[in-house]
């Protein structure tokens, strides 16, 4: 085997017992079309192939950790991702630990959490990324409280003077 062409950095090819072994840890992402010239036989023969190296999945921190009242629209929460091609339960309300009425969706390397919570409590959500490399979750907390009632008390007091007999 002559020198391999087109392998990603950190990856090499070797030959033993009529078998080419490609091994190593790639140091770059992308699509690599490789050619390995075979030597010692008749003619010119190459072993060829493609290696695709994807970036590790990552999830940033939530843009906010809100506390809001039940039945109040949530200001969208965003979480940046890399490597992933989606999330588990995309668009499903109350999935992944989100409150009822709230869902998460993924598009263009961003998770967007939106909706109107219809349940109270502290919701620690865990949203698994799909595709890409590695097992990574986007996490955060949403706290939903009971609406504070505002009451106006109106008290009427009627004071009358005692009736005096007529003379």
């Amino acid at each position: 085997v002559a020198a391999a062409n087109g392998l990603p950095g950190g990856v090499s090819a070797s030959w033993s017992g009529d078998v080419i072994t490609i091994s190593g840890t790639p140091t770059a992402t992308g699509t690599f079309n490789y050619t390995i010239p075979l030597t010692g036989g008749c003619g010119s023969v190459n072993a060829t192939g493609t290696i695709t190296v994807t970036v590790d999945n990552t999830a940033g921190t939530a843009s906010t950790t809100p506390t809001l009242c039940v039945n109040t629209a949530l200001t969208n929460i965003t979480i940046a991702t890399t490597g992933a091609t989606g999330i588990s339960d995309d668009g499903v309300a109350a999935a992944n630990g989100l409150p009822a009425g709230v869902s998460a969706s993924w598009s263009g390397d961003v998770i967007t959490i939106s909706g109107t919570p219809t349940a109270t409590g502290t919701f620690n959500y865990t949203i698994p990324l799909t595709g890409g490399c590695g097992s990574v979750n986007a996490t955060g907390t949403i706290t939903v409280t009971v609406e504070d009632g505002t009451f106006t008390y109106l008290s009427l007091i009627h004071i009358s003077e005692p009736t005096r007999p007529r003379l």
Side-chain angles (χ1 to χ4, degrees):
V1 173
N5 298 307
L7 290 173
V11 175
S12 62
S14 62
W15 179 86
S16 177
D18 293 333
V19 174
I20 297 173
T21 301
I22 298 173
S23 61
T25 302
T27 58
T29 61
T31 300
F32 300 88
N33 297 309
Y34 63 85
T35 301
I36 304 170
L38 303 178
T39 59
C42 295
S44 177
V45 178
N46 294 317
T48 61
T50 302
I51 297 174
T52 302
V53 182
T54 57
V55 67
D56 288 336
N57 285 344
T58 65
T61 57
S63 60
T64 184
T65 304
T67 297
L68 70 158
C69 293
V70 68
N71 298 318
T72 301
L74 175 69
T75 299
N76 288 356
I77 300 169
T78 57
I79 303 170
T81 67
T82 59
T85 58
I87 58 173
S88 291
D89 297 317
D90 194 326
V92 177
N96 302 314
L98 293 168
V102 175
S103 63
S105 60
W106 181 92
S107 179
D109 290 333
V110 176
I111 298 169
T112 302
I113 300 170
S114 61
T116 301
T118 59
T120 61
T122 299
F123 299 88
N124 297 306
Y125 58 85
T126 301
I127 303 169
L129 304 184
T130 59
C133 291
S135 177
V136 174
N137 297 316
T139 61
T141 302
I142 299 171
T143 304
V144 184
T145 61
V146 175
E147 287 187 60
D148 289 334
T150 302
F151 297 93
T152 302
Y153 292 97
L154 180 58
S155 180
L156 296 176
I157 300 175
H158 179 70
I159 301 176
S160 63
E161 291 191 30
T163 308
R164 296 187 185 186
R166 283 186 167 189
L167 295 175

